Amino acid sequence: MQKIFSSILALESFEASDLKVLLNSEGEQKKALFEKANEIKQSIIGNKVFFRGIIEYSNVCQKDCFYCGIRKSNKKIKRYTVSDPEVIDAALFAFKNRYGSIVLQSGEMTSPAFVERIENLLRQIRLLTNGQLGVTLSMGEQSEETYQRWKNAGAHRYLLRIESSNRQLYAQMHPNDAMHNFDRRLDCLKLLKKLGYQVGTGVMIGLPGQTIDNLVEDLLFMKELDIDMCGMGPYLEHEDTPMYEKREMLDSQKQRFDLALKMVATLRLLMKDINIAATTALQAIDPLGREKALKCGANIIMPNITPAKYRTDYKLYENKPCTDEAADDCLSCLDVRISLTGNKVGYGQWGDSQHFKNKKHL
Ligand code: 5AD
Ligand code: FES
């Protein structure tokens, strides 16, 4: 028997078929889904939105993912690495402006020099902020030793998107070699968990060939992995990547955006106490994209605090917003924008995942 929509919204545990109904919702049903997600967010997490000031540390990458603008084979971009003093300045900017946390994100590199630079930066940031600034890393697949060293140096959260939990789709999006291996990525996520990081993952939504069933699998994957944080957004085509050839297969950007919001809302129903980011890719399609996500379940926002001179070169996808704004320009309007969503900025707080804290008490 088919369940009625309102009874699905009220479920405590969801089957694949329920999630599919939610992702397929339109009109009044979609509105009810968004309202329910917001209600759960407000009652379980509260009305706080937490900042993660993101520093796009380097666009040098040793990998060659077919969708990504900073892939190794893209010879059209100027490669950069932010200097150590500039990273420290950006971290101190975040600290002084009471952002609470930063994210250091980079193209993937595994050289000993890179690992050591990050380790040193983490130690310096911890020292200069008395360990009061939360630090998330997003630096791809690394060895257990590297993850451990970075953890010892002060990182406590790690983002590593699975991109798609479907092996076939994953294989279609990546070169077929040891460096782009699904199982290796999964192992990294498990390692990060074992080492005690708060672990975040995520997927791209609206990929060529991706079905609603694939997205249902993605949600169940996140539940199964028992993640603490999620960042996911619409796939955006980039002209200088191989996947651009498949653009004819894509839904419109508006449809991908809508589906991404439904993924955020459905994940909030499925995992009530995790942190969910309102991602920049949403904003690339709709100027109010992040605010819309904050109204249907998301509770994290990642203002870009990369030194302005590097921003245009960190183009993972086209139309990436905020590439010409200074960090403080963003801050002054962000507060207002967030208030308009019925939320308040959790200034100076880490805003750790409730889910992670709840697990610790078990
Ligand atoms: N469209 C949307 N998201 C992308 N990312 C990389 N390339 C694209 C793209 N073309 C995302 C990936 C990666 C994160 C840093 O950026 O999910 O994990
Ligand atoms: Fe850099 Fe995918 S292209 S990790």
Side-chain angles (χ1 to χ4, degrees), residues 59-72 79 106-108 140-141 163 173-174 180 185 316:
N59 66 356
V60 179
C61 190
Q62 65 193 21
K63 291 177 81 173
D64 228 358
C65 309
F66 294 152
Y67 46 85
C68 185
I70 66 168
R71 63 197 300 269
K72 189 179 176 189
R79 301 286 167 172
S106 175
E108 200 172 296
E141 295 166 33
E163 313 297 359
M173 296 196 284
H174 297 98
H180 299 83
R185 203 161 183 87
L316 305 169

Side-chain angles (χ1 to χ4, degrees), residues 306-326:
T306 309
K309 67 181 195 210
Y310 299 114
R311 291 212 200 155
T312 47
D313 296 317
Y314 199 80
K315 269 207 174 164
L316 305 169
Y317 42 79
E318 285 170 15
N319 291 331
K320 196 159 169 277
C322 235
T323 46
D324 52 5
E325 276 172 278

Side-chain angles (χ1 to χ4, degrees), residues 136-191:
T136 307
L137 290 178
S138 173
M139 309 229 144
E141 295 166 33
Q142 303 286 342
S143 66
E144 175 164 6
E145 189 209 332
T146 298
Y147 286 146
Q148 183 68 67
R149 275 172 66 181
W150 289 347
K151 179 135 199 309
N152 294 344
H156 59 117
R157 310 184 185 115
Y158 205 101
L159 301 173
L160 183 69
R161 289 191 181 176
I162 194 73
E163 313 297 359
S164 169
S165 66
N166 181 282
R167 284 168 187 272
Q168 203 185 332
L169 269 181
Y170 192 90
Q172 281 168 22
M173 296 196 284
H174 297 98
N176 180 16
D177 60 28
M179 208 187 238
H180 299 83
N181 182 280
F182 181 86
D183 288 304
R184 160 95 182 111
R185 203 161 183 87
L186 198 53
D187 285 347
C188 283
L189 282 165
K190 290 180 183 159
L191 261 179

Side-chain angles (χ1 to χ4, degrees), residues 109-239:
M109 283 178 272
T110 49
S111 68
F114 174 78
V115 172
E116 198 175 312
R117 273 193 71 189
I118 299 301
E119 184 180 26
N120 288 336
L121 280 168
L122 289 167
R123 288 194 194 283
Q124 280 187 65
I125 292 168
R126 184 166 60 187
L127 197 69
L128 293 169
T129 63
N130 306 316
Q132 286 171 32
L133 189 66
V135 182
T136 307
L137 290 178
S138 173
M139 309 229 144
E141 295 166 33
Q142 303 286 342
S143 66
E144 175 164 6
E145 189 209 332
T146 298
Y147 286 146
Q148 183 68 67
R149 275 172 66 181
W150 289 347
K151 179 135 199 309
N152 294 344
H156 59 117
R157 310 184 185 115
Y158 205 101
L159 301 173
L160 183 69
R161 289 191 181 176
I162 194 73
E163 313 297 359
S164 169
S165 66
N166 181 282
R167 284 168 187 272
Q168 203 185 332
L169 269 181
Y170 192 90
Q172 281 168 22
M173 296 196 284
H174 297 98
N176 180 16
D177 60 28
M179 208 187 238
H180 299 83
N181 182 280
F182 181 86
D183 288 304
R184 160 95 182 111
R185 203 161 183 87
L186 198 53
D187 285 347
C188 283
L189 282 165
K190 290 180 183 159
L191 261 179
L192 289 162
K193 242 175 102 167
K194 185 184 91 178
L195 296 177
Y197 278 96
Q198 291 176 48
V199 177
T201 193
V203 294
M204 286 182 285
I205 297 152
L207 289 160
Q210 189 181 45
T211 63
I212 294 288
D213 285 318
N214 295 146
L215 292 170
V216 168
E217 284 172 46
D218 288 338
L219 291 170
L220 291 172
F221 170 88
M222 293 188 232
K223 176 86 179 168
E224 166 77 24
L225 195 65
D226 200 25
I227 56 161
D228 306 300
M229 321 180 287
C230 176
M232 57 186 169
Y235 163 67
L236 293 157
E237 56 275 43
H238 189 304
E239 200 180 344

